[in-house]
Amino acid sequence: MKSYTIAKASGAPGWDAIEPLRADCVLWEPDCGVRMEQKLCYDDTVLYVFQHAWESDIRAECSAPLSPVHEDSCMEFFFSLTDDGRYVNFEINPNACMELGFGQNRRERVRLCHKSERETFRPVCTRTPDGWTAEYRIPLSFLRILYPEFSLRSGVSFRANCYKCGDKTVHPHFLAWNAVETAAPDFHRPEFFGNMILAQQKILRSICSEGFFWSALQSTSGQGAAAPPQTL
């Protein structure tokens, strides 16, 4: 299984300084050229998510709460913060319409409808010349509703997977960061999750006098840089 280290942020994320993970395992359907990357970083109170899809024929029909966004062009982030197998799934389409769930597998889970979804997760989606991006934040206060003992601190690890799909797009596709070894499409398989760890390195952001953006990594130790629906 693949692993990914999540850098620690200082203020708003500087995404250009963060290494991506790539959902490059093509599953169940012929390769149609769609690609996806995801970046993550964190601070003491928030896990930040940035996703980029390279996709020409974009479908974006869903906009209402609890809509089946996986039928649209969709990017997904599934993660489990304990060893008991329960995981959270975040799914988002180009309209910034989100679908959330929590449970053990596809059948033993509940769909979550957060009454303050926009204010809590702040989803933003943007069309690009080659596809679209999604950005949102997952507050620690939300995570502790589901995982009361979890903390966003260096050294903490958990299991996760990232997906790209589009069941009713012109070119149906299924991509994953870690391959899902099942005969039929099924992203709700935590046994195939990879590993993620919260790093000790902090990302610093600044603007030079000329207006150019730069960023660096600094260890938090100060030793220098290393280059039925439930309502919550």
Side-chain angles (χ1 to χ4, degrees), residues 1-7 15 18-22 38-41 47-48 50 77 156-158 160 162 177-178 194-199:
M1 291 295 166
K2 298 175 185 175
S3 296
Y4 179 77
T5 300
I6 304 174
W15 293 118
I18 298 175
E19 288 294 318
L21 60 82
R22 294 177 174 85
Q38 176 166 308
K39 298 180 179 183
L40 299 165
C41 65
L47 179 64
Y48 300 94
F50 180 85
F77 179 35
V156 169
S157 62
F158 59 93
C162 306
W177 173 47
N178 279 270
N195 298 310
M196 293 190 172
I197 185 167
L198 303 181

Side-chain angles (χ1 to χ4, degrees), residues 17 27 49 52-53 65 85 89-90 93-95 127 140 155 174 184 203 215:
L27 306 170
V49 183
H52 186 175
N89 58 282
F90 275 76
N93 76 352
N95 295 330
R127 299 293 182 101
L140 179 61
F174 302 93
I203 300 171
S215 62

Side-chain angles (χ1 to χ4, degrees), residues 19-103:
E19 288 294 318
L21 60 82
R22 294 177 174 85
D24 54 8
C25 296
V26 179
L27 306 170
W28 302 304
E29 293 284 351
D31 188 354
C32 63
V34 174
R35 292 293 181 267
M36 174 197 163
E37 290 183 349
Q38 176 166 308
K39 298 180 179 183
L40 299 165
C41 65
Y42 77 101
D43 59 26
D44 293 339
T45 61
V46 175
L47 179 64
Y48 300 94
V49 183
F50 180 85
Q51 300 169 315
H52 186 175
W54 286 263
E55 181 178 14
S56 57
D57 296 303
I58 295 174
R59 184 183 193 269
E61 299 294 331
C62 296
S63 59
L66 299 175
S67 296
V69 297
H70 63 277
E71 295 178 351
D72 282 344
S73 298
C74 181
M75 292 187 280
E76 305 184 353
F77 179 35
F78 288 32
F79 55 89
S80 178
L81 303 182
T82 59
D83 294 329
D84 62 9
R86 296 175 305 144
Y87 65 90
V88 186
N89 58 282
F90 275 76
E91 307 177 14
I92 190 167
N93 76 352
N95 295 330
C97 180
M98 305 184 81
E99 183 178 7
L100 281 65
F102 181 63

Side-chain angles (χ1 to χ4, degrees), residues 91-176:
E91 307 177 14
I92 190 167
N93 76 352
N95 295 330
C97 180
M98 305 184 81
E99 183 178 7
L100 281 65
F102 181 63
Q104 298 274 354
N105 53 52
R106 179 182 293 277
R107 294 178 177 81
E108 298 177 80
R109 67 187 182 99
V110 293
R111 298 168 71 194
L112 304 178
C113 184
H114 199 294
K115 60 185 178 182
S116 302
E117 180 178 284
R118 295 285 171 176
E119 295 81 1
T120 300
F121 305 120
R122 302 182 192 175
V124 176
C125 291
T126 304
R127 299 293 182 101
T128 67
D130 53 11
W132 59 288
T133 64
E135 185 172 356
Y136 55 92
R137 46 184 282 152
I138 307 174
L140 179 61
S141 57
F142 169 79
L143 295 174
R144 282 187 169 167
I145 296 173
L146 306 175
Y147 303 99
E149 304 301 318
F150 182 74
S151 294
L152 286 167
R153 55 182 172 81
S154 62
V156 169
S157 62
F158 59 93
R159 293 175 60 77
N161 214 343
C162 306
Y163 308 112
K164 174 73 184 77
C165 64
D167 293 22
K168 292 187 177 181
T169 59
V170 174
H171 303 289
H173 54 274
F174 302 93
L175 308 177

